[in-house]
Amino acid sequence: MTDDSLRKVTTDAVASQPSGKPVEATGSTATPVAEAASPAQPAPATSVAVRRPAGRRRLYWMIGGVGAALAVLAAAPWVHTALTTASTDDAYVNGHVTFVAPRVPGQVVRVLVDDNNRVHKGDVLVQLDKEPYQVQVNIAKAAVAVAQANLVAAQAQVRGIEGETRSLRFGLERAIEDVDNQIELLRSKVATLQSQKATLAKAQADYDRAIPLVKSGAVSQEDLDARTEALLVARAQVDEALQGVYEVRVALGLPPKPKTGDDLTQVPADLDQTFSSVRQAQYSLIQSASQVGVVIDSFNVTPKQMVANFYKRDPQGNIDRIYAKLLAQAPGVKQAEAKLAQAQRDLDQAELNLSYCDVVSEIDGVVTRRDVNPGNNVIAGQSLMAVRSLTDIWVDANFKETQLADLRIGQAVDLDVDMYGGHHRFEGRISGFTMGTGSTLALLPAENATGNFVKVVQRLPVRIDLLDYDPDKIPLFIGLSVTPYVHVNEAPTGPDAGKVLQPYLPMPVTTQPETLP
């Protein structure tokens, strides 16, 4: 029987009974209550007992409605997040790791850190035995002192050569002057010869006039003898003057008599440049000047041309400045300077090796994977420990290829880290996409050339940089699981916003290190 039928039967039964005699409903019939009951006792509320199941249902419906409303309110943020973000559960914290290795071999004397110690850039982590390298530094310093002394000696030697060169230059000028003097002497000798010839001609004329006059007695024999003597003396003087001319010509490297003409003063115009003594002085000067770095282009150049070219080394022709430059560029000096520079470089290398005995941290971070102890003999490049950065970290999120169409550089990202649960949410920004899916970057990439290809949704690593990250307050550790939520409906911001590939940036120009003098 339904609730409505039961309610109707009960009502009819109550209405058909006399006053003071209630009826008890049992099943589908109503039985009169015993008359022995006390008239003062109230009748049981039969109608209220019948309505109680309907109130409970309303209460249940109210509780269910409130629960459904709460469920809808609780699911609303999740629904909004699902509709406005792209997410993946395949993401983790990543970062750079710097392996600490010595640059020189040696024996470890101290290890100053242990695993999980926090270090700063420049902190000494390991110390090697410095004594062998200190010995090398001392040897290099001695070599530098020797090279400096050799340089001073070379400079003094070049200054001596400079003085010799100056002297030979004056010797060349003197040789030229001597030739010019010889030419002038030749001309003087020729003039004397001409004078003697004139005297001979006069003596010959006097003698010729006296011969006929001797017979007539106009000229005495004594006078004739005097004129004969004067004639003979004049001839001897002419011969003497002629021999003097021949002597000077031969001294100048010329034939006694000119091959053409009778002019005994004929000499080549460049005799003062080609004479043997001048050439000898020129080549002596060339030999001396070559020791200070003066190179003569041709040995056929005349002394005057050579000296003129030498003066052209300075715009004002200042001989002192010319020699100062030659002193600095002299081969001996340059060689000594090169040896000094080599010795200095050896000293620098020795001191650098000595400094490498202190193995320092190159970054700020935390020490991990320590694998060195005092007394170990290590070689250059051997890994001693690793330092992981606390600040230079990011999140690698492997999104499905079906999600990549909505992702762009510059999009804001909310990051939930399992380590902190719902206590803290990190903020990030997409900074780039890896050029290749995870399967292609694996150590053993999948080989599908056999034809047994089954299409599998690929995942592409997406790099997410952290924003306003402070490791001192809330640190993140490498490898922690992360759930990123990329706001695909918000406009990208920051550098390269909205792009998929980062633009090409020219590499910075590195400056050459300064060279030591």
Side-chain angles (χ1 to χ4, degrees):
M1 180 180 295
T2 64
D3 293 338
D4 294 337
S5 300
L6 179 60
R7 188 181 301 110
K8 183 177 180 181
V9 171
T10 304
T11 306
D12 294 342
V14 172
S16 62
Q17 294 297 327
S19 177
K21 296 180 180 180
V23 209
E24 182 180 359
T26 58
S28 59
T29 61
T31 305
V33 181
E35 293 180 359
S38 175
Q41 183 178 1
T46 307
S47 61
V48 175
V50 173
R51 291 190 182 95
R52 186 175 299 169
R56 290 177 180 175
R57 282 193 296 273
R58 283 195 298 271
L59 178 62
Y60 294 155
W61 278 106
M62 290 176 62
I63 294 175
V66 172
L70 293 176
V72 171
L73 292 176
W78 180 86
V79 173
H80 179 268
T81 300
L83 294 176
T84 59
T85 63
S87 179
T88 179
D89 57 359
D90 186 1
Y92 62 95
V93 178
N94 203 351
H96 291 302
V97 56
T98 298
F99 292 97
V100 178
R103 297 187 180 185
V104 292
Q107 187 177 37
V108 178
V109 294
R110 294 181 65 191
V111 180
L112 304 177
V113 294
D114 204 349
D115 284 340
N116 305 326
N117 288 163
R118 191 169 177 180
V119 296
H120 293 286
K121 181 178 180 180
D123 290 347
V124 178
L125 308 180
V126 179
Q127 286 184 336
L128 304 181
D129 186 9
K130 297 183 178 181
E131 186 173 357
Y133 295 98
Q134 184 63 54
V135 172
Q136 295 299 321
V137 170
N138 296 336
I139 294 175
K141 287 182 178 179
V144 169
V146 172
Q148 288 175 341
N150 291 338
L151 175 59
V152 173
Q155 290 174 341
Q157 183 180 5
V158 170
R159 288 191 183 96
I161 297 174
E162 175 190 348
E164 180 183 357
T165 304
R166 287 175 180 263
S167 176
L168 291 175
R169 172 179 165 271
F170 290 122
L172 175 61
E173 293 182 355
R174 181 178 177 181
I176 296 175
E177 291 173 356
D178 288 343
V179 173
D180 292 337
N181 290 336
Q182 291 291 326
I183 295 175
E184 294 302 323
L185 178 61
L186 174 62
R187 291 171 181 170
S188 175
K189 292 286 187 180
V190 171
T192 302
L193 175 61
Q194 297 298 331
S195 175
Q196 296 298 333
K197 285 183 176 181
T199 302
L200 176 60
K202 181 178 181 301
Q204 184 68 46
D206 291 343
Y207 177 79
D208 291 342
R209 284 194 300 269
I211 290 299
L213 295 176
V214 171
K215 295 179 180 181
S216 63
V219 176
S220 63
Q221 185 64 38
E222 182 180 359
D223 190 19
L224 178 62
D225 292 341
R227 293 186 180 187
T228 301
E229 180 184 2
L231 176 62
L232 294 175
V233 171
R235 287 178 179 174
Q237 289 177 346
V238 168
D239 291 338
E240 181 182 5
L242 182 59
Q243 294 301 321
V245 171
Y246 290 161
E247 180 183 3
V248 174
R249 287 184 61 87
V250 171
L252 290 174
L254 302 173
K257 296 180 179 181
K259 295 182 180 180
T260 59
D262 296 331
D263 187 4
L264 294 177
T265 60
Q266 289 183 2
V267 295
D270 59 347
L271 182 61
D272 59 346
Q273 302 296 305
T274 60
F275 191 60
S276 58
S277 61
V278 175
R279 285 294 190 180
Q280 182 180 3
Q282 179 186 4
Y283 293 143
S284 297
L285 178 59
I286 292 175
Q287 180 181 3
S288 178
S290 63
Q291 300 181 49
V292 294
V294 178
V295 179
I296 306 301
D297 296 334
S298 174
F299 286 97
N300 295 324
V301 65
T302 64
K304 288 184 178 179
Q305 293 174 341
M306 185 181 72
V307 173
N309 294 337
F310 182 78
Y311 276 96
K312 290 180 181 179
R313 292 175 177 269
D314 184 77
Q316 287 75 33
N318 190 312
I319 190 67
D320 293 329
R321 284 202 298 262
I322 293 175
Y323 277 114
K325 293 179 181 178
L326 291 177
L327 176 63
Q329 300 297 327
V333 174
K334 299 299 290 184
Q335 185 178 11
E337 289 177 347
K339 291 182 178 180
L340 175 59
Q342 181 179 359
Q344 186 64 52
R345 297 299 183 275
D346 293 340
L347 175 60
D348 295 340
Q349 184 63 56
E351 292 177 343
L352 192 61
N353 291 340
L354 179 61
S355 68
Y356 287 158
C357 290
D358 291 332
V359 183
V360 301
S361 175
E362 299 297 334
I363 62 171
D364 297 342
V366 178
V367 175
T368 60
R369 299 165 63 178
R370 169 186 159 177
D371 189 21
V372 62
N373 292 297
N376 293 154
N377 287 313
V378 296
I379 61 175
Q382 178 180 340
S383 179
L384 305 182
M385 62 187 70
V387 178
R388 286 191 177 271
S389 175
L390 285 176
T391 57
D392 193 10
I393 64 174
W394 64 91
V395 173
D396 278 334
N398 298 307
F399 282 93
K400 296 179 181 180
E401 56 185 324
T402 54
Q403 298 175 292
L404 298 177
D406 297 330
L407 302 185
R408 292 294 184 273
I409 294 176
Q411 289 177 334
V413 185
D414 293 334
L415 303 169
D416 290 344
V417 182
D418 291 353
M419 174 180 176
Y420 295 105
H423 299 291
H424 184 79
R425 169 167 283 187
F426 295 86
E427 296 181 356
R429 173 184 178 275
I430 294 179
S431 61
F433 299 84
T434 302
M435 188 52 65
T437 61
S439 61
T440 61
L441 300 176
L443 181 61
L444 298 175
E447 177 58 61
N448 298 319
T450 59
N452 300 323
F453 175 73
V454 177
K455 183 177 180 180
V456 178
V457 177
Q458 301 296 314
R459 289 182 179 267
L460 184 80
V462 178
R463 177 162 174 162
I464 301 173
D465 290 341
L466 296 171
L467 302 178
D468 300 329
Y469 168 65
D470 188 355
D472 293 326
K473 296 180 179 179
I474 306 180
L476 290 176
F477 302 98
I478 307 301
L480 292 179
S481 297
V482 180
T483 302
Y485 297 94
V486 182
H487 295 274
V488 295
N489 292 337
E490 297 181 6
T493 59
D496 310 324
K499 297 181 180 180
V500 176
L501 294 179
Q502 293 181 349
Y504 171 75
L505 297 178
M507 293 296 100
V509 179
T510 57
T511 58
Q512 296 294 334
E514 295 183 359
T515 57
L516 297 177

